Amino acid sequence: MSENTQSPRKPRVAVVFGGRSSEHAISVVTAGAVLKAIDRDKYDVLPIGITREGRWALTADAPERMAIADRTLPDVAQLAESETGGVVLPVDPASREVVLNEPGALPQALGEVDVVFPMLHGPYGEDGTLQGLLELSGIPYVGAGVLASAVGQDKEYMKRVFVSFGLPVGPYEVIRPREWEQNPAAARKKIVEFAADHGWPLFVKPARGGSSVGITKVDDLSGLDEAVEEARRFDPKIIVEALVRGREIECGVLEFEDGPRASVPAEIPPVTDHDFYDFEAKYIDSASGLVPAPIGDEATAEVQRLAVLAYESVSCEGLVRADFFLTEDGGFVINEINTMPGFTPISMYPRMWQESGVSYPELVDRLIQAALNRSTGLR
C-alpha cells in the first residue's frame, strides 16, 4: 500500500523594498533585480513595498516595472496592489504569518515567511530599524544585524569604530543638530577652522545618508551655508569631510560557510561630467567602474584584508561593500561601508563578485541561505 507523501514547502522569501528614505527609488530598482534573479524553483517570493509615507503594501511581482526608464525613477506607489491596504508582520516569534489588512474587510492571511530580504537603503530600513522589527518577529533576514546596521548607517560612529580597529580614516568634523540650530555662527566657525587645517574643497554630507544624496562639494566659504542646508534636508546631523586625494577603490565582502571573503576590488574612474561620483553619475548616467581594479597584486591583497577587517570591526553579517581611497603614497584610507549595497544591474558589488566567480543568481542564493542558517536574537 503506497503512502501519500507531501513534498516539503519551499522557503518563502519576503523581498521588502522602497521605504521612507531619500533612496526609495534606488531600493525599488535594486529589489527588481533581486526579484528577477531569485530561483523560483527553489523559493516562493512575496514582494512587499514600503511607500514613501511608510505604508507596507502588497505589490506586483513585476521586476520589469521596477527599473529606471527614460531617466524616470520607479516608485512603490506605482506597484502597490491597493491604495489603502497594509501588510503586517507578526511581532511574535511563535508566528511568521503575514497578514494583509484592508479597510472594511477581514484580515487576509498571506502565509508564513521564512526569511526577509530587506532591500532598503538609508534611514528607516538599512539603519537597524527594520532589523529590530524582524528580531522582535523572530524572522531571519539577509544582511547585518541591528548594531552593525546602525553603525554602518551613521558615518560618525562608523569612523569611530574603524579608528578603534586600526583602520585609516580621513579627516572629518561632525555638526550636530543643536549646534547648527542654536548657534550657527559657532558651527560655521568650527567648519572654517577645519578647512584651515585641511584645506578646501570640503564635502558636506548627511551623516546618515547614502547613494550620494544630499552631498555637496564646497570649494570655499561662499557655498558653505547652502551645502549645510542641503545636507540637513536629509539628516539634521551632518558630517564634513576633507578631500582625500587618491583613486577610488571598492571591495565586496560576502559571508561564506567558513567566514567572510573579499572579492576582487573595483576602481571608480574620475567622472568627467560631474564634480564627484554623485547620485546621477551612479544611477542615471551609468558611470562604469573598472573590474578588477588595475592596482597590482600587493595592493589588491591589502584592500581585501582591510575590507574584511572593516566587515568584522562593525560585526557585519551577510555582505558589505567597503569603499577606499588609494593615496599617492600607496596607502589606503577607508571612506565608508554599505551594509546593503546596491544590486542594480550596474552596481559594483555584484559586478565585483561576478568577476570573482560568483554569478548574480548564486550571490542572491548565498545571501538567502546564509540568512536561513542564522538565528535571530543574540548570536
Side-chain angles (χ1 to χ4, degrees):
M1 181 177 177
S2 62
E3 295 182 1
N4 290 327
T5 58
Q6 187 174 3
S7 59
R9 180 176 67 84
K10 291 185 289 188
R12 198 153 189 239
V13 182
V15 178
V16 180
F17 60 95
R20 295 162 56 191
S21 84
S22 59
E23 299 174 79
H24 177 99
I26 295 308
S27 173
V28 177
V29 175
T30 300
V34 169
L35 284 169
K36 190 175 181 180
I38 290 179
D39 184 350
R40 304 308 176 96
D41 292 330
K42 189 172 182 179
Y43 304 104
D44 285 328
V45 177
L46 178 67
I48 300 174
I50 302 178
T51 68
R52 293 179 185 273
E53 296 72 37
R55 179 173 67 92
W56 289 49
L58 185 64
T59 68
D61 185 2
E64 69 280 357
R65 294 170 53 195
M66 300 167 73
I68 298 173
D70 298 325
R71 301 178 73 88
T72 300
L73 299 173
D75 195 289
V76 166
Q78 302 163 355
L79 300 160
E81 305 247 306
S82 165
E83 295 182 359
T84 55
V87 175
V88 180
L89 293 183
V91 188
D92 177 4
S95 170
R96 294 180 179 176
E97 185 84 28
V98 178
V99 173
L100 175 64
N101 287 331
E102 288 277 6
L106 292 173
Q108 176 188 346
L110 300 177
E112 291 189 349
V113 166
D114 297 290
V115 63
V116 170
F117 203 135
M119 301 310 307
L120 297 157
H121 301 306
Y124 313 110
E126 191 183 352
D127 59 349
T129 50
L130 176 62
Q131 290 74 16
L133 173 62
L134 296 173
E135 292 286 352
L136 290 173
S137 300
I139 301 176
Y141 54 91
V142 170
V146 176
L147 175 66
S149 297
V151 173
Q153 188 65 41
D154 191 310
K155 293 178 173 61
E156 175 192 2
Y157 290 102
M158 181 198 307
K159 292 176 188 291
R160 290 181 182 274
V161 170
F162 289 160
V163 169
S164 73
F165 277 78
L167 284 154
V169 304
Y172 69 96
E173 187 66 80
V174 175
I175 304 296
R176 302 182 185 283
R178 190 177 302 148
E179 292 181 83
W180 189 259
E181 291 161 6
Q182 296 186 357
N183 195 342
R188 190 180 301 109
K189 183 173 182 288
K190 185 176 173 181
I191 299 174
V192 170
E193 289 174 349
F194 177 78
D197 290 336
H198 301 288
W200 301 90
L202 302 176
F203 290 88
V204 179
K205 305 179 177 183
R208 295 160 290 195
S211 294
S212 299
V213 175
I215 297 178
T216 305
K217 180 183 177 184
V218 182
D219 294 313
D220 53 46
L221 184 59
S222 65
L224 181 59
D225 281 21
E226 184 179 353
V228 169
E229 292 301 337
E230 172 64 13
R232 281 172 51 82
R233 286 178 54 214
F234 303 97
D235 188 345
K237 183 169 85 165
I238 68 167
I239 189 165
V240 180
E241 296 176 349
L243 173 67
V244 178
R245 298 189 184 279
R247 297 161 66 181
E248 292 190 51
I249 307 296
E250 299 183 349
C251 190
V253 180
L254 178 63
E255 180 180 338
F256 284 77
E257 291 78 9
D258 59 349
R261 301 182 198 171
S263 69
V264 299
E267 179 173 7
I268 307 300
V271 290
T272 56
D273 297 332
H274 303 264
D275 267 352
F276 59 97
Y277 196 43
D278 62 6
F279 180 89
E280 286 213 351
K282 285 182 179 179
Y283 300 111
I284 304 299
D285 295 336
S286 303
S288 58
L290 305 175
V291 187
I295 58 176
D297 293 343
E298 186 176 340
T300 293
E302 176 63 2
V303 77
Q304 289 174 326
R305 181 187 74 83
L306 292 173
V308 172
L309 177 57
Y311 175 98
E312 294 184 321
S313 73
V314 183
S315 299
C316 289
E317 294 169 300
L319 72 165
V320 122
R321 194 194 74 228
D323 301 345
F324 298 86
F325 296 105
L326 176 56
T327 61
E328 294 175 352
D329 64 4
F332 284 98
V333 172
I334 188 165
N335 183 32
E336 64 180 15
I337 59 170
N338 276 264
T339 56
M340 186 51 71
F343 272 76
T344 66
I346 62 169
S347 293
M348 299 311 300
Y349 186 84
R351 286 185 59 195
M352 288 186 287
W353 278 109
Q354 178 78 40
E355 189 67 24
S356 303
V358 180
S359 69
Y360 193 99
E362 183 186 350
L363 178 62
V364 170
D365 184 68
R366 278 192 171 276
L367 290 170
I368 294 171
Q369 286 298 315
L372 285 168
N373 292 330
R374 190 168 55 235
S375 65
T376 55
L378 298 178
R379 52 189 181 274

